[in-house]
Amino acid sequence: MSTLTRKPLVSGNWKMHHTHLDAIAFVQKFAFSLTVEDHRRTEVSLHPPFTALRSVQTVLDADRIPVALGAQDVHWEDKGAYTGEISALMLAKLNVTYVIVGHSERRQHFGETDETVSKKVRAVLAAGMIPIVCVGEGEAERDAGATESLVVGQLRAALAGVAPEAVAKVVVAYEPIWAIGTGKAATPDDAQSVAAALRESVAVDHGTGSGNSIRIQYGGSVTADNLGEMLGLPDVDGALVGGASLDAEVFAGLVTGLRG
Ligand code: 13P
């Protein structure tokens, strides 16, 4: 795959929002707004909470809606005594395509570490799904000029030991923590330079083929107003959207706003 064939991926991370009933209504309304051409131009994934995955899957299947199903987290073991956890095999059985791994909210509030992220990445790939590996710096690290070394370190740890063919399929989400839910997105220049550094590190560690193929999303206060510019950047191939993915019309507006 070359730069030319990296199809943009716009993902809606609902976080802890929407019951399964809300989710069904969302998908029906959302799908109605998108055309075949929108789907051809942009790949879309929806990441509802675990409790809504089956409902969303059923609507997508029944209405043959070409939107990918995604999860927000996963456990790295296939099964076992891990109360409250969900395995990659369980997600794969629901036709989940993408699994968010290492979101900063999980790193901050739930003890996610580079080590657990790495185990989850392997489990997701082994189950035939694609991880969306989240990396991002906090405000203090940014002010200290440590952004690139920090995010490259997070990505290196997440992909260590993964075969190049598998790395090529991975999606990386660069989400500066200070930009999440604040209305203050990174500038396109900053997003591009961090994305370029991430791609370069993948090329160095896993080969230029993987570096060229890997898709890099930007996340953090993405709206219809800044999405087009972000996707126009040479190394940004999509977006991971939180707040602006919660309303069907608003999220559909992000995708239809990319029409030529
Ligand atoms: P917002 O789009 O609400 O800033 O959230 C970004 C995010 O964390 C997506 O994973």
Side-chain angles (χ1 to χ4, degrees):
M1 242 197 295
S2 76
T3 329
L4 295 172
T5 55
R6 290 198 308 259
K7 186 171 178 176
L9 173 64
V10 175
S11 304
N13 174 12
W14 289 356
K15 308 188 180 181
M16 197 171 71
H17 294 281
H18 293 331
T19 65
H20 72 288
L21 297 174
D22 300 334
I24 291 168
F26 178 110
V27 175
Q28 284 164 339
K29 200 166 163 187
F30 178 71
F32 188 72
S33 311
L34 301 186
T35 61
V36 171
E37 185 55 22
D38 290 323
H39 292 297
R40 195 195 55 75
R41 183 180 298 116
T42 313
E43 187 178 359
V44 177
S45 66
L46 291 175
H47 300 250
F50 288 132
T51 48
L53 279 174
R54 175 66 175 151
S55 309
V56 172
Q57 181 215 2
T58 304
V59 180
L60 294 178
D61 280 3
D63 295 349
R64 296 180 198 283
I65 299 166
V67 164
L69 185 59
Q72 300 177 16
D73 190 24
V74 66
H75 192 269
W76 57 85
E77 294 289 348
D78 287 349
K79 60 183 172 186
Y82 300 101
T83 302
E85 294 295 321
I86 304 288
S87 78
L89 294 181
M90 295 170 182
L91 296 178
K93 274 282 176 205
L94 288 167
N95 288 345
V96 164
T97 302
Y98 295 103
V99 183
I100 297 171
V101 174
H103 193 282
S104 60
E105 287 150 16
R106 298 221 59 88
R107 294 182 194 253
Q108 270 182 316
H109 306 305
F110 302 100
E112 189 88 89
T113 63
D114 282 351
E115 196 191 342
T116 56
V117 169
S118 154
K119 289 183 185 177
K120 290 179 179 188
V121 165
R122 288 153 192 255
V124 169
L125 288 167
M129 300 179 292
I130 299 174
I132 297 180
V133 182
C134 299
V135 300
E137 83 288 2
E139 191 134 44
E141 292 140 346
R142 178 190 184 221
D143 292 346
T147 298
E148 281 187 15
S149 62
L150 184 113
V151 299
V152 165
Q154 287 175 327
L155 187 57
R156 281 221 156 103
L159 299 181
V162 177
E165 318 82 73
V167 169
K169 294 184 214 151
V170 167
V171 177
V172 179
Y174 167 52
E175 296 206 305
I177 297 168
W178 48 268
I180 295 178
T182 60
K184 203 177 82 180
T187 62
D189 276 357
D190 284 349
Q192 166 56 27
S193 71
V194 176
L198 290 167
R199 190 178 304 289
E200 177 60 23
S201 84
V202 172
V204 169
D205 292 353
H206 305 277
T208 45
S210 299
N212 280 333
S213 300
I214 205 161
R215 285 184 294 179
I216 302 178
Q217 298 177 313
Y218 166 77
S221 296
V222 170
T223 64
D225 291 335
N226 57 24
L227 180 63
E229 192 172 12
M230 290 293 181
L231 292 196
L233 300 168
D235 286 298
V236 175
D237 315 303
L240 184 54
V241 185
S245 75
L246 292 178
D247 178 272
E249 253 170 71
V250 172
F251 193 45
L254 262 69
V255 179
T256 58
L258 299 172
R259 288 174 187 170

